[in-house]
């Protein structure tokens, strides 16, 4: 069973969240680690 949660965020909050997740993704890539979880969240935020 999968838990889901919905958040109501402002445009500015979404922008900051996307920026932070992208920075995390870049750091993971530099460390040769998997980015699958971050990618999944980014797709959900952008879509």
């Amino acid at each position: 069973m999968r838990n889901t949660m919905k958040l109501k965020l402002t445009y500015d909050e979404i922008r900051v969240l996307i920026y932070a997740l992208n920075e995390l993704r870049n750091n993971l890539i530099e460390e040769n680690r998997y980015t699958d979880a971050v990618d999944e969240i980014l797709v959900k935020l952008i879509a």
Side-chain angles (χ1 to χ4, degrees):
M1 180 182 213
R2 196 169 175 173
N3 292 332
T4 60
M5 182 186 307
K6 290 191 177 188
L7 300 173
K8 291 187 178 184
L9 302 172
T10 67
Y11 173 79
D12 290 333
E13 291 169 331
I14 292 171
R15 187 171 48 87
V16 169
L17 187 53
I18 290 171
Y19 178 81
L21 286 169
N22 195 47
E23 284 293 310
L24 173 59
R25 185 177 185 278
N26 289 338
N27 290 340
L28 291 172
I29 289 170
E30 283 182 14
E31 297 171 3
N32 294 319
R33 295 174 61 193
Y34 292 108
T35 62
D36 297 349
V38 177
D39 294 340
E40 186 176 323
I41 295 170
L42 280 169
V43 167
K44 289 180 180 184
L45 282 172
I46 296 170

